[in-house]
Amino acid sequence: MYVISVAGCNFMGTNIGATILLARVLQHWIDAAQPSSRSSKGAVYALALGSNYGAFSATFSASLAGLLWKQILNQKGIKVTQSQFAYHNLGINLVAMLAGCAVLIAQVYIVKS
């Protein structure tokens, strides 16, 4: 769910729309599959983390803030291309995602409920 939500923010509109859609999918999965409490909580936390990291990853349209930021830059005559934005964000985002995923895995599988 973590990777899907990060990718979803970049390809499903904004992080808000992707989170709403994926939360519904997750809700149906929990109702149908009846996973353990640990697995369902892990999936919900992964969705929350992924939608937040996805908001500042590869595209301006991944979040409303990115769209507003792009508009303000354009009004001031500052040009930032999509490839420049992705180039500068992907390295930072990758490190942050790996760290967040490691903490989530530790929280779900190591810490007792």
Side-chain angles (χ1 to χ4, degrees), residues 5-6 13 15 21 25 28-29 32-33 38-39 42 48 51 55 58 61 63 65-66 78 81-82 92 103 108:
S5 60
V6 170
N15 61 329
L21 176 66
V25 169
H28 285 293
W29 172 73
R38 186 174 282 198
S39 294
S51 66
S61 63
S63 71
I78 301 169
T81 65
Q82 183 62 56
I92 297 165
V103 170
V108 171

Side-chain angles (χ1 to χ4, degrees), residues 30-98:
I30 291 170
D31 290 342
Q34 299 294 317
S36 69
S37 173
R38 186 174 282 198
S39 294
S40 60
K41 284 180 183 178
V44 169
Y45 294 145
L47 173 59
L49 275 174
S51 66
N52 281 291
Y53 285 124
F56 71 95
S57 56
T59 62
F60 290 112
S61 63
S63 71
L64 293 176
L67 294 171
L68 291 171
W69 183 71
K70 173 102 169 121
Q71 183 181 15
I72 290 168
L73 290 176
N74 284 339
Q75 289 172 353
K76 295 190 179 289
I78 301 169
K79 299 295 178 198
V80 177
T81 65
Q82 183 62 56
S83 59
Q84 289 173 320
F85 183 78
Y87 175 77
H88 290 291
N89 279 350
L90 286 178
I92 297 165
N93 201 14
L94 181 62
V95 171
M97 284 176 53
L98 290 174

